[in-house]
Amino acid sequence: MRKHFRQTHSFTVLMLAMFVAQLSGCASTSASPSTTEFNAPANDVSNANEHSPQHQQHTPPAVVEQYSDVWEKIQHANTIDVHDDAEVRKQRNFFDDKQKFMNQVGERAEPFLYYIVSQLEARNMPLELALLPIVESGYNPLAQANGPAGLWQMIPATGRNFGLTVNSAYDGRKDALASTDAVLDYLQHLYDTLDKDWINAVAAYNTGELVIKAAINKNKAKGKPTDFWSLGIPAKRVQTVPKWLAFIQIIRAPNHYNLKVRPIANRPFLDRVPAPNGVDIGQIANAAGLSKAEFKTYNPGFRQGVIPSKGKYQIALPLENIGQYQENHDKLYAQKRYDSQSYIVKSGDSLGTIAAKFDTSVKALKQANNLTSDRLKIGQELTLLTPMAANDNEPEPAKANTKSDSKAKSSTKTNANGTKTTSSKSADMPTAKAKTYKVKSGDSLDKIARKNKVKLADLMKWNQLNSKSIIKPGQELKISE
């Protein structure tokens, strides 16, 4: 019996050795790095030859994040099919060898790219959409045209409709993280509306939803396909599209276009914390161990030298600085805090007369508004800062969500037969899916959708609205089909 066991064991060992040898060959083949023109970091290259077959058998490749560089992750997404289009080639050739521009893009994108890609991934949207800010703003969150602003170059109406705050103290379109959340909501709406085509969505983001919708309807009437390439829209009407597609090709093979892309670590860089109202941003920066310029780089949405005294805002800080900020957070409330208000310059105004009127100084006015000269224009908006009352210099205690609490409150009633029943006050309120909703002052489409627990895309569809639609107080909107 023992002899038989030894013979069986020897045969088993022989078969296992042959099986392991086959596995080793397979492992060596699969571990070879793919041939791309993107320079992968040396530590990403497999060290298969340094390990014995036995070690390989017991350490199969782990299913973990395989890219150390966010650009490389985008490069390998391959979600968007780029046609060999003449206008795409033209744009690609224009950026060929523009290394200085790519260096600027890499430097500006570093704090924000991981967040954008992680949000796209969480929503199951194409990672190539993270390249749109290159085309829109060169990844500059402070970019400002006549109407559009920020990384994504949103116009005010679109920003507000998709939940961004835009006022004299804060512009959510320039808040790189908040604007990303809003833009991805908008792009998903466009994709859902425009025949599930991402290039259609980007085209509509550029030229307007109604233009692309009309082209789709025209093709449908003729029995033609409705993908972007079949719509025949002139390139001059959708200039963003060929540039975006050109950058997709460039990022997929930068060496081919005489370019190098500055690596950006594939890990979180920023996180958001509640902003202290009325506090000077220089003091906040100091509390976090940052310079004022660094703080503004991460928080370009704040238009004044202080956090607005009213409303709830967030600030973005590097992960490595959050601990220091939290340690010093309470000390910020011991500093002088300011209430802010806006003033519109009128005929005959000067910095001196305005300063005297509001009991401040010309120097303080210029600092609060980042003015380099004494010249003012009629209609110009100025920020006025006045010290808060002493009893406002303490942090407010955390408050319960009174709205949700009031909805959840219940009352006990006694029926005619003497039994007690509990009824919720929310039953007496309009249900979330009432047929109509009357717009109130300060409402946006995003707020109305969230308040009534419906999808923003559905709300816009039911009311035949688009991203540029303006809603007014008193207007009635359908909130169900």
Side-chain angles (χ1 to χ4, degrees):
M1 187 72 178
R2 196 170 209 164
K3 186 176 181 181
H4 175 70
F5 173 79
R6 283 178 178 170
Q7 288 175 341
T8 304
H9 178 67
S10 300
F11 177 76
T12 303
V13 170
L14 178 62
M15 292 300 291
L16 278 173
M18 293 174 65
F19 180 64
V20 168
Q22 287 180 329
L23 279 181
S24 301
C26 294
S28 299
T29 303
S30 63
S32 300
S34 60
T35 304
T36 69
E37 292 183 283
F38 204 102
N39 295 324
N43 60 359
D44 279 351
V45 179
S46 172
N47 295 321
N49 294 330
E50 297 177 8
H51 301 284
S52 66
Q54 289 85 352
H55 182 70
Q56 287 182 357
Q57 183 184 8
H58 295 291
T59 56
V63 182
V64 295
E65 177 60 68
Q66 57 182 315
Y67 302 113
S68 61
D69 180 2
V70 191
W71 292 119
E72 191 178 3
K73 188 171 186 176
I74 298 170
Q75 179 212 11
H76 288 90
N78 289 321
T79 310
I80 303 298
D81 183 21
V82 183
H83 285 202
D84 186 23
D85 178 77
E87 192 63 28
V88 175
R89 289 197 302 272
K90 177 183 173 182
Q91 294 297 332
R92 208 174 53 216
N93 292 337
F94 175 80
F95 287 101
D96 190 353
D97 207 21
K98 297 287 194 302
Q99 187 59 51
K100 183 178 179 181
F101 175 72
M102 290 307 297
N103 290 344
Q104 288 177 332
V105 166
E107 184 176 353
R108 291 168 178 166
E110 186 171 16
F112 315 120
L113 187 62
Y114 174 86
Y115 179 81
I116 294 172
V117 169
S118 65
Q119 292 303 303
L120 288 167
E121 195 170 34
R123 295 165 177 250
N124 199 27
M125 297 170 74
L127 302 191
E128 292 94 334
L129 291 171
L131 304 179
L132 258 182
I134 300 180
V135 176
E136 295 290 351
S137 66
Y139 252 101
N140 179 9
L142 288 172
Q144 176 80 58
N146 289 332
L151 281 183
W152 301 91
Q153 290 292 283
M154 293 188 85
I155 63 173
T158 303
R160 290 189 179 99
N161 280 342
F162 284 85
L164 294 178
T165 299
V166 181
N167 56 37
S168 61
Y170 170 82
D171 190 342
R173 298 172 302 156
K174 292 183 179 179
D175 182 321
L177 306 189
S179 65
T180 292
D181 297 340
V183 167
L184 299 193
D185 285 345
Y186 182 28
L187 287 170
Q188 184 66 57
H189 159 72
L190 292 173
Y191 171 78
D192 293 339
T193 304
L194 303 173
D195 274 25
K196 308 288 185 181
D197 186 305
W198 284 112
I199 306 181
N200 281 348
V202 172
Y205 185 82
N206 177 205
T207 194
E209 182 178 340
L210 299 181
V211 173
I212 307 303
K213 186 67 176 174
I216 289 174
N217 291 339
K218 184 178 178 181
N219 271 27
K220 282 183 176 178
K222 295 180 179 179
K224 293 182 178 180
T226 58
D227 63 283
F228 175 79
W229 302 106
S230 300
L231 297 181
I233 300 172
K236 64 181 180 180
R237 298 203 68 182
V238 285
Q239 295 178 14
T240 293
V241 171
K243 289 180 182 178
W244 173 57
L245 296 175
F247 269 105
I248 291 175
Q249 292 189 318
I250 289 170
I251 293 299
R252 285 175 180 171
N255 292 351
H256 186 70
Y257 303 101
N258 303 310
L259 293 169
K260 292 182 179 179
V261 183
R262 170 179 172 163
I264 294 178
N266 187 22
R267 61 174 182 265
F269 186 93
L270 297 172
D271 199 3
R272 289 178 277 196
V273 295
N277 295 97
V279 177
D280 184 281
I281 62 173
Q283 295 172 359
I284 298 174
N286 187 57
L290 299 170
S291 68
K292 193 171 180 178
E294 287 173 323
F295 181 86
K296 286 185 174 181
T297 297
Y298 308 135
N299 298 277
F302 294 104
R303 302 172 70 177
Q304 301 173 346
V306 301
I307 303 297
S309 55
K310 295 178 178 64
K312 292 182 179 179
Y313 296 89
Q314 290 184 315
I315 54 174
L317 298 173
L319 291 178
E320 60 189 25
N321 295 84
I322 287 181
Q324 181 175 342
Y325 172 75
Q326 290 174 335
E327 287 178 8
N328 296 318
H329 175 263
D330 290 343
K331 298 176 185 177
L332 293 173
Y333 290 92
Q335 307 292 329
K336 184 177 286 188
R337 294 163 65 208
Y338 296 90
D339 197 357
S340 58
Q341 59 179 305
S342 296
Y343 177 80
I344 305 299
V345 176
K346 301 177 179 64
S347 177
D349 276 342
S350 68
L351 286 175
T353 59
I354 296 171
K357 185 176 181 180
F358 291 95
D359 194 24
T360 185
S361 67
V362 171
K363 181 181 178 181
L365 269 178
K366 293 178 76 171
Q367 286 180 340
N369 293 278
N370 298 315
L371 299 177
T372 55
S373 77
D374 292 343
R375 285 189 170 186
L376 296 176
K377 296 179 181 179
I378 295 174
Q380 181 177 348
E381 188 175 38
L382 294 179
T383 298
L384 302 173
L385 300 179
T386 54
M388 283 184 172
N391 58 358
D392 287 336
N393 282 343
E394 296 299 325
E396 293 184 10
K399 294 179 180 178
N401 188 342
T402 53
K403 288 184 179 179
S404 60
D405 289 347
S406 64
K407 289 180 182 178
K409 284 180 182 177
S410 60
S411 60
T412 304
K413 296 181 181 179
T414 305
N415 291 339
N417 59 9
T419 59
K420 293 184 178 181
T421 60
T422 303
S423 62
S424 171
K425 287 189 177 180
S426 61
D428 299 328
M429 300 172 65
T431 58
K433 293 203 173 184
K435 291 183 180 179
T436 60
Y437 174 87
K438 186 171 286 188
V439 178
K440 300 178 179 62
S441 178
D443 271 343
S444 69
L445 292 176
D446 177 72
K447 286 182 182 177
I448 295 169
R450 285 189 281 111
K451 187 184 295 184
N452 292 281
K453 299 180 181 178
V454 298
K455 291 182 179 179
L456 179 59
D458 288 338
L459 180 67
M460 296 174 76
K461 181 178 71 175
W462 296 332
N463 294 278
Q464 298 181 333
L465 300 172
N466 59 60
S467 63
K468 297 181 182 179
S469 298
I470 297 174
I471 55 175
K472 299 178 181 179
Q475 180 179 348
E476 283 200 354
L477 297 178
K478 295 179 182 177
I479 52 173
S480 62
E481 282 189 293

